[in-house]
């Protein structure tokens, strides 16, 4: 019976892995194909589509997406840190209501949020801020709940005895936050910042309402390109973006211990 259960477990796991990886492998093969048709013969593969990625029409949207994602992750990280600290650590009155308010954007579809933000900006007469400024503000609204929730989970597992010991030794509130609390919740903070970066970099539903000519992010550039042509350069863009995201996750893991948060510990 145990052998049957073990076989079913590994067979199910293998099926899930194949289901997940097959689309990636197809896109990878398509990025090397000489034509728009997927070619599985490695002797016919070419790197010309990856060379096209260095064209300004792809580099400029890429760097804009990176800049926006970096700014959004920094703002969301700082705001989420202090929000979670005030709600979970200080536990001021009605903190549960504030947490529910901060998490409320998760219950609204992104397309609805995009339309609402555009209408809000139009009602205030701030149409000139459509573009990079509006994208940053909208992405912060989208990513802040993720950062706040992850940091709040790390603070909830924090040993308050360490904070009390530092307080007895004469450390002020800012010193305790900087030298005691922050190093121990760093995995949670870096996890939230990583999610914020990835969500902002790959966002489409919000960005499609807020971009303007000359300020087009990479995902929107891909959609616009697909309206007129379907060629392997799209596969090359997707593969390059995936490698970039994996590299960003690896860097965050090395800095703050991304996997430690997933396992409920600290690094």
């Amino acid at each position: 019976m145990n052998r049957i259960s073990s076989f079913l477990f590994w067979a199910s796991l293998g099926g899930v892995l194949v289901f997940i990886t097959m689309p990636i492998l197809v896109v990878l093969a398509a990025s090397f194909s000489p034509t728009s048709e997927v070619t599985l013969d490695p002797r016919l593969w070419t790197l010309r589509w990856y060379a096209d990625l260095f064209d300004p029409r792809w580099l400029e949207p890429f760097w804009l997406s990176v800049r926006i994602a970096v700014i959004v992750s920094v703002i969301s990280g700082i705001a989420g840190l202090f929000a979670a600290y005030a709600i979970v650590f200080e536990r001021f009155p009605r903190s549960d209501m504030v947490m529910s308010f901060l998490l409320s954007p998760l219950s609204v579809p992104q397309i609805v949020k995009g339309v609402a933000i555009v209408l809000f900006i139009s009602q205030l007469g701030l149409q000139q801020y459509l573009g990079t400024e509006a994208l940053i503000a909208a992405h912060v609204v989208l990513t802040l709940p993720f950062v706040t929730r992850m940091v709040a989970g790390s603070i909830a597992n924090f040993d308050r005895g360490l904070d009390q010991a530092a307080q007895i030794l004469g450390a002020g509130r800012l010193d305790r936050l900087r030298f005691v609390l922050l190093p121990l919740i760093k995995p949670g903070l870096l996890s939230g910042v990583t999610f914020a970066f990835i969500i902002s970099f790959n966002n489409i539903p919000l960005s499609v309402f807020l971009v303007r000519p000359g300020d087009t992010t990479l995902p929107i550039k891909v959609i616009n390109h697909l309206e007129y042509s379907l060629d392997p350069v799209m596969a090359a863009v997707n593969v390059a973006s995936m490698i970039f995201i994996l590299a960003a996750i690896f860097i965050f893991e090395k800095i703050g211990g991304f996997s430690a948060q997933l396992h409920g510990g600290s690094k």
Side-chain angles (χ1 to χ4, degrees):
M1 188 67 181
N2 290 334
R3 291 183 177 179
I4 297 176
S5 300
S6 178
F7 172 78
L8 291 176
F9 169 77
W10 288 109
S12 301
L13 179 61
V16 171
L17 293 177
V18 170
F19 180 78
I20 293 175
T21 56
M22 279 303 296
I24 299 176
L25 295 178
V26 171
V27 172
L28 182 62
S31 68
F32 295 108
S33 297
T35 64
S36 58
E37 297 182 357
V38 178
T39 302
L40 299 180
D41 188 354
R43 295 173 298 178
L44 302 177
W45 285 358
T46 177
L47 294 175
R48 57 169 295 195
W49 309 112
Y50 288 94
D52 290 346
L53 299 183
F54 294 95
D55 189 277
R57 64 172 179 155
W58 296 112
L59 279 180
E60 292 177 1
F62 169 76
W63 287 118
L64 178 62
S65 295
V66 172
R67 290 197 299 270
I68 292 175
V70 169
I71 295 173
V72 167
S73 59
V74 171
I75 295 176
S76 299
I78 296 174
L81 171 63
F82 285 104
Y85 176 81
I87 294 171
V88 180
F89 197 84
E90 296 295 339
R91 295 180 180 175
F92 59 85
R94 303 295 183 181
S95 60
D96 54 341
M97 295 180 60
V98 176
M99 176 62 83
S100 299
F101 174 77
L102 290 175
L103 299 181
S104 61
L106 297 177
S107 62
V108 182
Q110 292 188 40
I111 294 179
V112 176
K113 285 198 288 280
V115 174
I117 291 173
V118 171
L119 293 176
F120 177 74
I121 292 176
S122 299
Q123 290 294 325
L124 294 180
L126 301 175
Q127 292 87 343
Q128 67 272 21
Y129 293 105
L130 286 174
T132 303
E133 297 85 354
L135 280 172
I136 293 174
H139 287 189
V140 169
V141 173
L142 176 65
T143 58
L144 183 59
F146 292 95
V147 180
T148 303
R149 190 66 188 90
M150 290 185 176
V151 177
S154 293
I155 295 178
N157 295 324
F158 174 72
D159 185 1
R160 292 178 177 270
L162 299 175
D163 181 72
Q164 294 174 357
Q167 186 175 7
I168 293 173
L169 294 174
R173 177 174 297 182
L174 291 178
D175 289 334
R176 301 200 310 272
L177 174 62
R178 178 182 177 186
F179 297 108
V180 180
L181 179 63
L182 191 57
L184 294 177
I185 66 170
K186 185 171 63 173
L189 177 60
L190 266 295
S191 299
V193 170
T194 303
F195 270 89
F197 183 89
I198 296 173
I199 292 172
S200 176
F201 183 83
N202 291 322
N203 183 265
I204 293 177
L206 275 179
S207 303
V208 73
F209 293 99
L210 300 171
V211 296
R212 62 186 178 189
D215 282 341
T216 303
T217 59
L218 183 61
I220 303 302
K221 177 65 177 179
V222 170
I223 291 180
N224 293 337
H225 186 83
L226 286 174
E227 292 181 0
Y228 303 100
S229 63
L230 179 61
D231 50 41
V233 72
M234 292 291 91
V237 170
N238 290 328
V239 172
S241 298
M242 181 178 61
I243 294 174
F244 173 75
I245 291 298
L246 292 176
I249 294 175
F250 177 79
I251 292 173
F252 278 116
E253 161 65 22
K254 290 299 181 181
I255 294 175
F258 183 78
S259 60
Q261 173 68 11
L262 297 179
H263 296 291
S266 58
K267 195 170 184 178

